[in-house]
Amino acid sequence: MTAGREAEDSGAPRANPALPTDRRLVAAAERLFAERGIDAVSLRAVMAAAGANVASVHYHFGSKDALIQAVIRARGGEISVRRAELLDAAEAGDPSARALAEAFVRPVAEAMTAGGGDWVTVVADVIAINHGALRQVTEEFAGQARRFTALLTRLHPELPPRTVRFRLTQAMTITFQTLGDRDRLRDILALSGTRLTADEVLAELLDTVTAILAGPPDR
């Protein structure tokens, strides 16, 4: 099968040829994973969309698993930097559930605005189906998870560790699932005649994550 035919089969436009090969492969994989789901995308389809050959995939990544890890790392770093800034501010003062919610949600929302919507969808899918790549997501988040844990414990010292972990896990899950599949959210809300703009979705999500981290008001 020719490279042109593979690109046609991939159903996706070629990546920017001006990019280095490894970045083309990551960009193509991110887009295809978001469109079809990780397990439905073959290396052949990624190679075709990137305008690369099998040798380049194995040279740069070695396997599909390694390519998936590269996709997750590609935008995870910039989100971590932004989140660290918000966590620094929270640690410097009296932490609040709202400040922690902002640190969870804002970096992901800003990444989407900067062109990372497909990446957010990929991570949301990994979480939703408990994909093997979830370990990579968890490892990327581990350092900041410890900071969130310390801050939430500082805010609610009466909470047992299991409750702290549960709330933080739910905050991460709802953040990615809401922002990573806004079309599905829009369709569900439309059943009740509700229509929200992207800004309104963000505002509602921040309120919801704040409520999760704050816990019941009577406790």
Side-chain angles (χ1 to χ4, degrees), residues 13 16 29 38 64 69 73 83 92 97 126 128 150 159 169 180-181 184-185 190 210-211 213 215 219:
N16 182 352
I38 292 174
K64 183 177 178 180
Q69 291 171 11
R73 284 195 306 270
R83 186 169 279 143
V126 165
L159 291 179
T169 299
D181 198 351
R184 175 173 157 286
L185 175 65
T210 299
L213 297 176
R219 292 188 187 176

Side-chain angles (χ1 to χ4, degrees), residues 100-118:
L100 295 184
E102 292 276 352
F104 256 111
V105 176
R106 286 284 178 196
V108 181
E110 290 170 2
M112 291 187 66
T113 302
D118 284 344

Side-chain angles (χ1 to χ4, degrees), residues 12-83:
R14 288 279 187 96
N16 182 352
L19 292 175
T21 303
D22 58 337
R23 291 180 58 191
R24 292 205 314 273
L25 288 164
V26 168
E30 178 185 88
R31 184 175 66 250
L32 291 176
F33 292 163
E35 289 174 357
R36 305 180 189 180
I38 292 174
D39 290 338
V41 177
S42 66
L43 280 178
R44 181 189 294 266
V46 174
M47 289 183 293
N53 58 43
V54 65
S56 64
V57 174
H58 290 293
Y59 173 77
H60 289 289
F61 302 106
S63 68
K64 183 177 178 180
D65 285 345
L67 177 58
I68 293 168
Q69 291 171 11
V71 168
I72 292 171
R73 284 195 306 270
R75 297 185 192 271
E78 64 192 52
I79 288 175
S80 293
V81 168
R82 175 64 173 133
R83 186 169 279 143

Side-chain angles (χ1 to χ4, degrees), residues 97-98 101-103 105-106 201-211:
R98 185 66 178 197
E102 292 276 352
V105 176
R106 286 284 178 196
V201 168
L202 177 57
E204 294 291 348
L205 177 60
L206 280 167
D207 286 347
T208 300
V209 173
T210 299

